[in-house]
Structure formats: C-alpha cells, structure tokens
Amino acid sequence: MRQPISPYPVPETEYFERILRHDPNSLTQLIAATSASLPPVRDLAAQGRSLYAPWALLDATWVSLARGRDGRPSAAGTDLRQILDLFLALDDPVRLEPEGMERWEGYLQRVIHHQGPWQEDVYAQLSRSIALLAQTPYPDDSEDPLEVILPGWDHDRLGCSLADYLGIVHLVWSCATSHPNPSHRGRFAVDWYPAADYDQFDGLRSPAQIKVVLNRHFSTTKNKLRASFPANHDPLLRRYRHNPLRSTPLVRGVTGGYLVPVPAAVLGKATPLGLYYTGGDNQSPWGQSFTTDVGRLFERYVGRQLDLLPDAEVQPETLVKISKKSSKKTVDFFVVFPDLVLLIEVKSTRPSEQLRLGGPDFTTLLPRTPIGKGFEQINRSADFLHSGEHPELADIPNDRRMIGMVVTAEPFHQINTPEHRVDLPETKIPVMVTSIAELEHAVTITGTSLAKLLCEAVDAGAPDLRQLFPRYEFLEHNAVLEQGWSAIPFARPRRPRAQDVAAEPGSDPERQSPVA
C-alpha cells in the first residue's frame, strides 16, 4: 500500500481542516464526478485507485456539506487525493488499547463491518429484496400471521410498489454512472430520462411521481446534514458510525437536479438492510412489527433456497413432545443428504453497533445475540436426534454425521474463528454461522454435493464458506435470485415497444443500463 502523505496517526481535526479549506459545492461535485467513474470496490486496487474507496468519499462529502462554508477556494484532484490520504491515516482506538491480540480483533471488527457492506454483490442484494419481501409465500392461516407486510404495505410506506422502488434505485444509479453526457454523471434529474420510457415501471408514470419518492426517501440537504452532525462525538470512532448519506444518498438544492456524491450508496437503499431501516428500524410500533414480519419471511426465504438442493430432502421445524405437558420446537430445518444431516436455525439478525465497533471485550456481547440462542436450539435438536426417542423425528436419520448452521440476514465477520467463539455456548456438533449471501451461492454448487463442501469447511476450520468457493463449481445464477431480478424495472428485459431499438449483438438485455 502506498504510504499516506501524513504518517499515522492523523488527528481528526487535521482531516477536518483539510476538507474545510474548500467550498463544499466545489469539493462535493468533484467527489461526485470522481465516484461516477470508479469501478466496483473489488477492482479498485487492480486499477491503482484503492485510495478512492466509497466509504472514504462519502465521509469527506458528509464533513464538507455539514461543516464547510461557501465561498472558499475550489477543490482540484490533488486536493481530493490529499484528503483521502488523511482519511486513510486517521487515528483509531487500537493505538490506545492494551497490547494483545484482542485489540487487533476489535480493529478488524471495525474495519470489516465498515467496509464489508460496500463489497457485497449488488445483483444478489437487490434480487434478494424483492424475492424476500414480494415473492416469498406466506400462508394466510399461519399461527404467526404477518402483521404489517400485507398487500399494499409498500405503497403506504414507500410511496410506490417495491418493484418500482428498486427500479428507481437502478435508474438513479445508472444515470449517475453511465449517462451519455459526461457532465451529467454524478448527478440525477428526473427530466433527463424520456418520459415515454417510464412505462417500464409498474405503476409510476411521470417524472413528478419519481421526484415525490426521491424527496421522501432518498434525498437530503446541506441544512439537514449540518443540523444532524454530532456535536460531541468520539473522534476515533465517528467515521465507523452511521453516515446519514447512507440513508439519504442524494443531495437536493443544487443546480442541475440532485447531486449523487457516491452512486454506490444509492444501491444500498434497495438492499434488505436499507429497506429495514426505511421500514422503521424498530423505533416505532410499525417498525417493530415490520422487523418481526421480515424475520418470519426470512425463515421461509431460507427454505426456498434449501429447496434448490438437488440431492437433499428438507424437513421443516417439528414440535417434539418432552412430557405430557411440555413440548419443544426443533431447529427450523433439517437438510438430509445421503451422508450428512444439516441442522439449520434461521436468525434474521445483524451485528449491533456495539459489536461492529469492536470495543473492549466485544466478544462477550455474542451470547446475548440471537446467534447464542441459535446454538442452544441446535444443541437441543441434536440431542433429540441422538436419543432416538422421539417419533416425531423418525424420518430424520441419526446415524450420519451432523453439522449445525445458523443462517443470518447479514454477515457476522470472523464469528467462526476460535477467538470469537470463546464466549458462545459450546456445541455438541460442529456449528458454523453463515450469512444468507453465502448460502445463496452455496446452494448452486454443481458437480458435487453441498455436503462435501460443508464437511471440508468444518474439518479445515474455515472462518466462512466463501474461502472454499474457489475450489468448487457453481451455477451461473441462483434461480430464486433470478426470479427477483426479473421483477425489477430497468433490470428485467425491457417490455417491447415499437420505438425500441434492438440490442446490439452480444449484449445482455437483462443487465443493460436504462441510459446506455
């Protein structure tokens, strides 16, 4: 890695001072133009542009808009590079913590959880949103009925259908990164896209309708950013906490439409996590019910993924009688392979901010997460099977190797390492924690059984399944995700129109930009 201009550690005050030398309009427009031309995060280093990470660009934008003053000198490319060099060298709590491996584990927690979401596969994230919330069946006669994710919830909460909401995200991102006029990149205006082509949406029909949704859910102003900037913050941790431009990635009140400082942040609005925060973030009765409903749907969504396995039989949760007056539920799924039984417990959870910040003794927080309860449920179900005393489980063999898996909605990085497992309950069978993104890829394995990959992962003590993926072959697409993608306006194949021009030979109509 190239040495930063200022040696580590750089105090936050120096970083702020370097940003505030410049007119915020000039600096943020430079950031937007730069961001629009960047490759995906995974390709930045190969192109020698690793300094221009989206999380760094978004932080500089936030500081400039919230603290900057108009009328100061304009910013040039060398100024932005110096600012990002300073960001890279910002001070961190790791320098002040006691010697030992635990402080470095905390540092990795901060860095990985800060940067990891920007590196998730966009196709899978957007597809999962609609596959989970709009295409996963839920029985009307369930003992635990849905409370708020009912027909019309998306129109009430989002101002349009979920599919159209994702279509807006795709349209804004495509315009900000690929507009034929280079001067429009890093920006978005509703009148830049032909009104006649709005028929690609399911219900939205005019630029004015799009603007209503953008102003409600996607955009902010300099005044709002100034008002919300933390007055008394920890200078060592501020950059790791929530940046409001993640929730509102468009800036209005600028000439020429909306400013899109970091187009990649727009995509985050359409992910399951982005929709979770839009749905209420557990801060209201509606939001709490939304969270509960997402959890119920998520369990069934995992079942849809498991049904893609060609060589396994999937058995659902079973109520096991313990005594005349007592019964206990098993794990959510038993996946029976010819040589393995996989016990799966589903937890629609993500790491808390306290855990993501990796403070002292952060691993002691893990037992209080749903993951700790998941380990206990796997232990109980394994005991049920090993005992051979429960006729409710007679169809599930107990003479094969058993592995447990807790499937989470978001990644818990490094959780399968010994250092992180020390405070979680001990398990009676090997248990791994796997994110839904890993599972979606794993179930498309071809040429061999997923059971082989799982056994290899456990035997090797792999920290996650992804480490083993390069050793195996997988289908090009996950059928459940592909169904979700095909429902998103501007992502799905375009509806035929007389004035449409046929795509060039070799192009992929399902991946075309609406402004190409």
Side-chain angles (χ1 to χ4, degrees):
M1 181 182 294
R2 184 177 63 83
Q3 287 294 319
I5 290 174
S6 297
Y8 176 85
V10 168
E12 189 185 59
T13 52
E14 182 179 342
Y15 168 66
F16 279 9
E17 185 277 330
R18 188 63 187 83
I19 291 173
L20 301 182
R21 289 184 198 176
H22 302 287
D23 181 280
N25 297 312
S26 170
L27 179 56
T28 56
Q29 287 175 28
L30 174 62
I31 289 173
T34 301
S35 297
S37 66
L38 293 175
V41 173
R42 62 180 177 273
D43 299 326
L44 285 173
Q47 296 188 19
R49 309 189 75 181
S50 56
L51 198 64
Y52 294 86
W55 51 87
L57 291 163
L58 201 70
D59 189 76
T61 303
W62 181 25
V63 174
S64 179
L65 291 174
R67 304 285 293 270
R69 294 183 181 179
D70 295 343
R72 291 189 171 179
S74 298
T78 53
D79 297 308
L80 179 58
R81 187 174 187 87
Q82 290 174 14
I83 288 168
L84 298 177
D85 266 321
L86 292 170
F87 178 88
L88 182 64
L90 279 171
D91 201 359
D92 186 277
V94 71
R95 192 175 59 86
L96 307 176
E97 292 171 351
E99 291 287 343
M101 283 303 298
E102 186 172 337
R103 70 170 183 165
W104 293 108
E105 292 162 10
Y107 172 74
L108 285 174
Q109 283 291 301
R110 288 190 289 279
V111 171
I112 295 175
H113 281 105
H114 186 218
Q115 301 176 9
W118 297 93
Q119 302 180 57
E120 293 293 329
D121 182 76
V122 172
Y123 160 77
Q125 293 255 56
L126 270 62
S127 300
R128 186 184 312 133
S129 291
I130 199 161
L132 168 67
L133 295 173
Q135 296 175 339
T136 295
Y138 198 88
D140 294 333
D141 58 353
S142 170
E143 293 181 1
D144 299 306
L146 298 179
E147 299 175 28
V148 296
I149 302 183
L150 303 170
W153 75 269
D154 45 359
H155 289 270
D156 292 339
R157 202 69 183 178
L158 305 177
C160 60
S161 71
L162 177 61
D164 281 354
Y165 188 85
L166 270 63
I168 290 174
V169 166
H170 200 280
L171 175 62
V172 172
W173 175 81
S174 297
C175 287
T177 58
S178 308
H179 198 283
N181 184 343
S183 67
H184 287 172
R185 295 174 191 169
R187 295 176 174 273
F188 177 76
V190 293
D191 54 359
W192 288 349
Y193 193 70
D197 282 351
Y198 277 88
D199 66 355
Q200 297 301 313
F201 286 108
D202 291 335
L204 300 172
R205 287 294 177 264
S206 72
Q209 291 177 306
I210 304 293
K211 194 169 185 177
V212 169
V213 177
L214 290 177
N215 288 344
R216 178 177 175 183
H217 293 297
F218 289 81
S219 67
T220 187
T221 64
K222 285 196 290 186
N223 287 338
K224 287 184 177 180
L225 292 171
R226 288 191 186 110
S228 63
F229 198 86
N232 300 308
H233 62 268
D234 185 337
L236 303 182
L237 292 175
R238 180 202 57 82
R239 68 188 182 279
Y240 296 117
R241 298 183 185 275
H242 178 66
N243 183 328
L245 289 167
R246 285 292 266 163
S247 301
T248 49
L250 276 61
V251 182
R252 63 181 185 268
V254 297
T255 304
Y258 299 94
L259 185 70
V260 189
V262 180
V266 177
L267 297 171
K269 290 289 291 180
T271 65
L273 185 59
L275 289 164
Y276 163 75
Y277 284 117
T278 302
D281 187 22
N282 250 353
Q283 299 301 310
S284 67
W286 197 98
Q288 293 168 7
S289 295
F290 182 81
T291 301
T292 300
D293 284 0
V294 169
R296 291 167 177 164
L297 286 169
F298 184 64
E299 179 181 329
R300 292 181 177 272
Y301 176 77
V302 170
R304 293 179 64 198
Q305 293 293 341
L306 297 174
D307 286 340
L308 298 178
L309 293 167
D311 63 334
E313 179 184 350
V314 181
Q315 297 278 0
E317 173 187 83
T318 301
L319 193 63
V320 173
K321 191 171 184 179
I322 306 301
S323 64
K324 290 183 178 180
K325 297 183 178 180
S326 174
S327 296
K328 294 284 187 180
K329 290 182 178 180
T330 66
V331 291
D332 294 316
F333 298 101
F334 297 92
V335 185
V336 182
F337 296 94
D339 54 353
L340 174 73
V341 177
L342 178 64
L343 286 67
I344 292 184
E345 183 63 23
V346 180
K347 298 298 179 185
S348 178
T349 186
R350 70 177 300 243
S352 65
E353 181 180 69
Q354 192 175 1
L355 188 59
R356 297 195 305 273
L357 292 177
D361 302 321
F362 72 92
T363 58
T364 61
L365 301 172
L366 291 172
R368 300 195 291 274
T369 68
I371 291 175
K373 182 179 179 182
F375 278 30
E376 295 170 354
Q377 290 168 301
I378 289 173
N379 276 341
R380 183 168 63 236
S381 296
D383 284 342
F384 288 160
L385 284 176
H386 283 136
S387 73
E389 298 175 354
H390 302 285
E392 301 94 336
L393 303 177
D395 292 336
I396 303 172
N398 63 359
D399 59 349
R400 303 175 192 180
R401 183 174 185 178
M402 295 182 191
I403 292 176
M405 177 183 288
V406 177
V407 179
T408 60
E410 299 292 331
F412 281 72
H413 297 286
Q414 304 297 312
I415 195 170
N416 291 315
T417 61
E419 295 80 8
H420 288 63
R421 294 290 286 268
V422 66
D423 290 304
L424 283 166
E426 292 187 9
T427 57
K428 300 178 180 180
I429 61 174
V431 177
M432 65 183 71
V433 180
T434 303
S435 71
I436 186 60
E438 289 180 285
L439 182 66
E440 288 164 346
H441 191 69
V443 297
T444 67
I445 194 168
T446 184
T448 189
S449 174
L450 177 59
K452 180 180 178 181
L453 187 155
L454 294 173
C455 291
E456 183 180 353
V458 168
D459 293 341
D464 55 57
L465 293 181
R466 282 177 172 163
Q467 283 202 355
L468 275 68
F469 287 168
R471 305 180 190 180
Y472 294 88
E473 294 183 358
F474 298 86
L475 300 175
E476 184 177 0
H477 293 301
N478 176 300
V480 174
L481 293 179
E482 194 68 1
Q483 181 187 3
W485 184 263
S486 67
I488 303 173
F490 304 107
R492 63 191 173 199
R494 292 175 64 88
R495 295 167 180 163
R497 296 168 59 241
Q499 62 267 45
D500 283 345
V501 179
E504 295 180 6
S507 66
D508 182 353
E510 295 195 22
R511 304 291 185 266
Q512 288 185 55
S513 162
V515 295

